[in-house]
Amino acid sequence: MLQLTNVSFKPQGKLLLNQVSISVKAGEVYGLLGANGAGKTTLLKAISGDIKASGSITLYGKALAQWNRRELAKHLAVLPQSSQLTFPFSAREVVALGLTPLSLSKAQAASLIDEKMHATDCYSFADRAYPSLSGGERQRVQLARVLLQLSQARHSPLLLLDEPTSAQDLGQQHNLLRLTQTLVKKEGFGVVAILHDLNQVLRYCDRCCLLDQGRVSAVDSPDKLLSDERIQQHWQYQPQRVVLGNGQTALI
Amino acid sequence: MQRSVSLCALALASLLIVCALLSLVLGAMNLPVYDSLLIVVDKLFGANLSQLEDYQQIVVLELRLPRLLLAVFVGAILAQCGAVVQGLFRNPLADPGIIGVSSGAAVGAIVAIVVFPAVWGSWTIPTMAFVGGLLTTLLVYGLAQSKSGTSVLILLLAGVAISAFAGAAIGFLSYFADDASLRELNVWQMGSLTGANDANLWLAFTTMVLLMIAFQRRAQALNALLLGEPEARHLGVDVEQLKLQMIILTAVGVGVAVSCSGIIGFVGLVVPHLVRLATGPNHHFLLPLSALLGAVLLMCSDLLARLVVQPAELPVGLVTVLLGAPFFLILLIQQRKNWS
């Protein structure tokens, strides 16, 4: 669904992305890995259109710049890392912002809002003020908003996650990632996620791309990609491996 | 939520009517209450119910009525512009008066009065007020933008600088102005609704209606903008276009308001804030309710301005500042903890 070809970004003479070519399929969680400064966030911003990179980025064969804004918003959404709101919207109103690119009747909109809030487990605090919610609750509200935004897509939508678990405790992190995985497996979403925790990468990603100084260093499934040598090379850390009961490996 | 919005709307509409009736009846000249109201009915429906003398009719129809209508239109314009500017800057302290837009518009208007009084006929003053307002909005917006969003500190300081400059410009121009212009300059500086006439009533009314429609059409986009500019862009909003539209529209609104009634401060600050307390920041409700409350507030202020020092009167701008400045201080204190 998403195809990047020779994407480069060079603001003020500093090469942040160097000829990046990757492709993401519907129905997979695609992880972006790399040390700090490797270009993960820049790459995600290039995909979301926050920065203008050279090269070609296409979604369903059509260059992002060619898409109609609202059509694109129905197919491509970003879950922000954290969102500050100066004015106290209620959680439900924040979710309703997902209606912005859509044209729905009031009744349809109301039932979809409820549905998405149930799906992300935030219906119980629908009427509380957003600024009074905890980091994890806010993240779920934002996820409901994003799901609403993508609810009228004609093709499988693409969801971008920028360190989605950074503001959350352990349980919340796994809940969010499990929910994302369900969207991918059941509804055919494509997901591109920046994750720092390599164990989460091993557990939830189908494929990942390892970035190094703005360049693609490797693309593979996480268990093949995350060899001891690579981890040592990119993160200067020598991990130890534990084989779990279900045959999966965990890094310590 | 829906219910509290309807309740608010109903309460404000009733308040608007009550205030309008009071404004017709009360004033320096004691007139019979019923007849004062009936004369408006007479005027509207061509009836002949009122028993007011001719000079009394003039007081009601040509002094009090136009003035209260101008208060309604200008109050609604200023309050809506305040709500939009606050949304645009994502800050409750933004107000066309505080960030210097009204001052810029006043300088434009004053240049028009003193330097070239009648180049475009009666359009000269509103046009120059609009240009002054637009230039200051663009300047302030440009200055306050930084990587991490809008800087409140720069916003407020820019307002101080521009207001000081406007004050100096007004002083400078008043040095060269003749007596007639001098009186007008005073009106501009302090804000007054005494200049209500058919021409500026129509101008203010049309502007109010156009702004209501234009703002309401972008209400959802303004809501999305409260999430942040990238987030609004991801939701399919053309953020640059939206910002430009809103800046031009508020400059039109403030320009027209200033050209009709001079600088009337704090209406745009206080009103949206009060409405948000009642119904939350959703622009679908915030904008129309702000228009209503703005109309009520300015009408009450003008009534006060006419009544407290009878038979003389205060400039209404003084009254709104007296009401609004303490409110602004309270807001500042509330916000202080977010600043450091």
Side-chain angles (χ1 to χ4, degrees):
Chain A
M1 60 195 299
L2 179 76
Q3 183 76 47
L4 279 76
T5 318
N6 297 329
V7 172
S8 298
F9 183 60
K10 193 178 178 184
Q12 287 132 26
K14 205 176 157 208
L15 196 58
L16 295 182
L17 292 178
N18 188 359
Q19 303 283 316
V20 173
S21 300
I22 56 170
S23 71
V24 178
K25 288 180 281 201
E28 71 174 350
V29 179
Y30 192 96
L32 294 181
L33 313 182
N36 281 340
K40 306 179 295 279
T41 302
T42 314
L43 184 58
L44 208 68
K45 281 187 176 164
I47 301 173
S48 65
D50 288 338
I51 56 171
K52 293 256 175 298
S54 65
S56 110
I57 305 178
T58 61
L59 185 64
Y60 290 108
K62 192 164 154 189
L64 288 186
Q66 306 293 316
W67 280 76
N68 165 291
R69 275 171 195 285
R70 290 178 63 177
E71 266 319 292
L72 184 61
K74 289 183 200 173
H75 292 88
L76 172 65
V78 185
L79 184 70
Q81 203 172 11
S82 69
S83 205
Q84 296 297 322
L85 266 181
T86 324
F87 296 116
F89 273 127
S90 69
R92 184 192 298 277
E93 284 174 316
V94 172
V95 176
L97 292 176
L99 296 170
T100 308
L102 314 178
S103 358
L104 298 176
S105 73
K106 270 198 173 163
Q108 268 179 315
S111 82
L112 268 176
I113 292 173
D114 285 353
E115 180 191 317
K116 300 305 174 196
M117 294 194 88
H118 278 299
T120 53
D121 199 18
C122 48
Y123 192 76
S124 55
F125 47 84
D127 292 318
R128 272 178 57 196
Y130 181 83
S132 75
L133 302 175
S134 73
E137 290 168 333
R138 290 184 195 186
Q139 187 80 313
R140 265 143 61 202
V141 171
Q142 291 288 354
L143 185 64
R145 195 256 300 166
V146 164
L147 292 184
L148 181 62
Q149 175 187 347
L150 297 174
S151 64
Q152 306 298 309
R154 282 179 291 112
H155 311 285
S156 304
L158 176 66
L159 179 58
L160 308 180
L161 306 176
D162 185 3
E163 298 181 36
T165 54
S166 57
Q168 310 205 14
D169 68 31
L170 192 67
Q172 291 167 341
Q173 293 182 8
H174 284 281
N175 275 336
L176 181 78
L177 289 169
R178 224 174 287 136
L179 188 64
T180 318
Q181 213 174 28
T182 317
L183 292 170
V184 169
K185 299 305 169 214
K186 289 208 175 135
E187 303 187 28
F189 276 49
V191 168
V192 178
I194 298 178
L195 292 174
H196 274 299
D197 184 333
L198 296 182
N199 280 314
Q200 289 179 351
V201 172
L202 283 168
R203 190 153 160 195
Y204 294 105
C205 289
D206 298 299
R207 281 197 305 154
C208 11
C209 161
L210 181 61
L211 289 167
D212 186 25
Q213 293 173 358
R215 203 186 272 278
V216 177
S217 158
V219 176
D220 213 329
S221 63
D223 46 343
K224 288 192 189 130
L225 189 123
L226 291 174
S227 64
D228 287 357
E229 301 77 55
R230 280 219 183 87
I231 295 175
Q232 170 68 37
Q233 185 191 341
H234 287 269
W235 286 277
Q236 284 79 47
Y237 175 72
Q238 190 65 55
Q240 298 195 332
R241 281 167 196 273
V242 183
V243 178
L244 305 172
N246 60 6
Q248 285 187 327
T249 333
L251 298 168
I252 297 174
Chain B
M1 179 53 68
Q2 215 75 30
R3 213 168 133 238
S4 69
V5 171
S6 325
L7 271 177
C8 268
L10 198 68
L12 286 175
S14 331
L15 209 56
L16 186 78
I17 294 169
V18 172
C19 289
L21 294 179
L22 285 176
S23 301
L24 279 179
V25 171
L26 298 175
M29 183 183 285
N30 260 327
L31 296 178
V33 174
Y34 280 119
D35 289 319
S36 307
L37 300 179
L38 285 176
I39 188 68
V40 179
V41 179
D42 287 355
K43 177 85 174 169
L44 280 176
F45 301 106
N48 199 6
L49 305 166
S50 168
Q51 292 171 348
L52 288 188
E53 305 283 334
D54 281 354
Y55 74 94
Q56 293 176 319
Q57 292 192 8
I58 290 177
V59 169
V60 176
L61 292 180
E62 289 176 26
L63 295 175
R64 289 182 190 169
L65 182 64
R67 204 168 156 159
L68 95 87
L69 289 176
L70 192 62
V72 169
F73 303 154
V74 169
I77 291 174
L78 287 176
Q80 288 189 89
C81 288
V84 167
V85 170
Q86 289 173 11
L88 207 57
F89 286 99
R90 284 190 292 288
N91 193 292
L93 293 177
D95 162 79
I98 292 165
I99 64 176
V101 180
S102 305
S103 303
V107 171
I110 284 159
V111 168
I113 296 169
V114 178
V115 184
F116 43 98
V119 184
W120 303 297
S122 59
W123 288 98
T124 315
I125 294 173
T127 311
M128 288 296 291
F130 160 68
V131 171
L134 183 63
L135 290 178
T136 32
T137 320
L138 290 174
L139 177 71
V140 172
Y141 195 80
L143 282 174
Q145 282 306 86
S146 68
K147 269 195 178 153
S148 54
T150 317
S151 156
V152 193
L153 198 62
I154 294 182
L155 203 66
L156 298 181
L157 289 178
V160 172
I162 292 168
S163 303
F165 176 76
I170 292 169
F172 184 74
L173 290 169
S174 59
Y175 192 76
F176 296 102
D178 52 31
D179 277 357
S181 311
L182 211 55
R183 164 97 187 100
E184 263 188 285
L185 287 185
N186 238 332
V187 169
W188 250 272
Q189 234 174 336
M190 303 220 259
S192 162
L193 296 162
T194 42
N197 58 40
D198 282 356
N200 61 23
L201 277 179
W202 275 112
L203 179 65
F205 175 72
T206 323
T207 310
M208 177 188 77
V209 173
L210 284 179
L211 288 186
M212 278 179 149
I213 296 170
F215 286 154
Q216 199 59 41
R217 283 171 59 100
R218 302 313 303 270
Q220 180 71 21
L222 283 167
N223 282 344
L225 195 62
L226 293 186
L227 276 179
E229 287 186 20
E231 284 78 6
R233 207 174 297 122
H234 299 153
L235 278 163
V237 176
D238 187 341
V239 173
E240 296 309 313
Q241 187 203 48
L242 176 72
K243 287 196 311 195
L244 190 66
Q245 274 179 1
M246 293 302 117
I247 285 176
I248 290 178
L249 287 173
T250 43
V252 169
V254 174
V256 166
V258 165
S259 73
C260 293
S261 57
I263 303 178
I264 295 180
F266 292 100
V267 175
L269 175 87
V270 174
V271 169
H273 198 83
L274 290 177
V275 175
R276 268 192 217 99
L277 285 180
T279 65
N282 187 340
H283 284 88
H284 287 293
F285 313 128
L286 175 66
L287 291 165
L289 290 178
S290 291
L292 262 176
L293 183 58
V296 171
L297 184 73
L298 193 54
M299 208 158 44
C300 290
S301 306
D302 192 45
L303 194 58
L304 272 179
R306 290 200 286 126
L307 292 181
V308 283
V309 288
Q310 282 187 64
E313 58 177 71
L314 293 171
V316 66
L318 277 187
V319 177
T320 61
V321 171
L322 279 176
L323 295 175
F327 189 87
F328 180 63
L329 274 178
I330 293 169
L331 270 185
L332 261 184
I333 293 166
Q334 277 179 355
Q335 288 242 316
R336 196 169 48 174
K337 58 178 183 295
N338 307 333
W339 278 31
S340 40

